[in-house]
């Protein structure tokens, strides 16, 4: 029996213990819970995390990562935090990690934001974990997604040393560096960057 001197809304957490040995896995036993009128069964905080991330990014550029945490449970989630995890090749540029979103009532949501730099090409995973420590339990929610980092566009720049004009039906060879030593006849130096 639980007696509370307080009035108003209350949340009662019930743990059911089975102290007898059970010969069969999956065997259950019903139990009764008697409460004053007005109490209803409620689901605990249920955190759902939804990412908003660009499908692709260019190497060397930055982009924003948004993670929305929503409480789909029937009671408030207290002190919700969201922790961002990045694959190698991605660098966190701004935004505290983890970020505290505060309390989330049932059906409420809040969003954390970070700025991330793409340092290596290829597909890179991004994940986030939302957590709330309340009612003597830690509740979690997860998201996992990713971004494809594309290489920077390559450019061939004319730096003014020489303008090459080819005759009709001629072939011009260009070496991808600025060294003029050791080039065969008909090959020219050029600046090549990526």
């Amino acid at each position: 029996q639980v007696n509370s001197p307080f009035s108003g809304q209350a949340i009662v957490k019930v743990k059911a213990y089975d102290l007898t040995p059970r010969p069969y896995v999956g065997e259950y036993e019903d139990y009764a819970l008697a409460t004053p009128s007005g109490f209803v069964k409620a689901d605990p905080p249920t955190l759902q995390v939804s990412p908003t991330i660009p499908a692709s990014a260019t190497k060397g550029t930055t982009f924003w990562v948004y993670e929305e945490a929503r409480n789909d449970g029937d009671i408030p989630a207290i002190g919700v935090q969201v922790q961002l995890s990045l694959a190698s090749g991605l660098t966190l540029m701004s935004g505290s990690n983890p970020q505290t979103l505060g309390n989330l009532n049932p059906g409420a949501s809040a969003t954390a934001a970070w700025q991330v730099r793409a340092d290596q090409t290829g597909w890179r995973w991004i994940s986030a974990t939302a957590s709330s420590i309340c009612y003597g339990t830690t509740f979690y929610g997860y998201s996992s997604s990713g971004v494809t980092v594309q290489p920077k566009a390559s450019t061939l720049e004319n730096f003014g040393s020489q303008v090459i004009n080819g005759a009709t039906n001629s072939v011009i060879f260009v070496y991808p560096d600025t060294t003029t030593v050791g080039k065969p006849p008909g090959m020219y130096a050029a600046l090549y960057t990526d």
Side-chain angles (χ1 to χ4, degrees):
Q1 184 176 6
V2 177
N3 181 31
S4 173
F6 303 103
S7 62
Q9 188 180 34
I11 296 174
V12 178
K13 178 181 176 182
V14 178
K15 277 190 173 182
Y17 291 95
D18 185 358
L19 301 179
T20 61
R22 298 290 174 182
Y24 304 107
V25 176
E27 184 178 354
Y28 298 96
E29 180 179 358
D30 294 332
Y31 65 92
L33 177 65
T35 64
S37 62
F39 277 86
V40 295
K41 180 183 177 182
D43 289 329
T46 305
L47 298 175
Q48 302 290 340
V49 185
S50 302
T52 301
I53 300 170
S56 62
T58 303
K59 179 182 177 182
T61 63
T62 59
F63 59 93
W64 285 95
V65 174
Y66 301 94
E67 297 283 354
E68 179 190 54
R70 186 181 69 253
N71 179 13
D72 285 345
D74 294 327
I75 57 178
I78 309 301
V80 177
Q81 290 189 331
V82 180
Q83 174 86 40
L84 185 70
S85 298
L86 301 173
S88 60
L90 299 176
T91 302
L92 181 64
M93 300 301 293
S94 68
S96 59
N97 195 29
Q99 291 191 23
T100 300
L101 302 182
N103 302 340
L104 293 181
N105 289 323
S109 63
T111 301
W114 298 268
Q115 197 171 27
V116 174
R117 187 181 67 214
D119 294 325
Q120 296 180 19
T121 59
W123 190 85
R124 304 288 163 179
W125 58 262
I126 298 172
S127 65
T129 303
S131 62
S132 171
I133 302 175
C134 50
Y135 317 110
T137 304
T138 303
F139 302 94
Y140 294 100
Y142 305 93
S143 79
S144 181
S145 57
V147 61
T148 299
V149 180
Q150 307 284 357
K152 292 190 296 183
S154 298
T155 59
L156 186 64
E157 299 180 359
N158 172 22
F159 52 94
S161 63
Q162 183 178 5
V163 177
I164 303 172
N165 294 313
T168 304
N169 297 325
S170 65
V171 177
I172 298 174
F173 297 94
V174 179
Y175 250 79
D177 61 32
T178 57
T179 303
T180 58
V181 178
K183 298 292 187 295
M187 293 194 174
Y188 299 87
L191 178 63
Y192 185 82
T193 62
D194 68 353

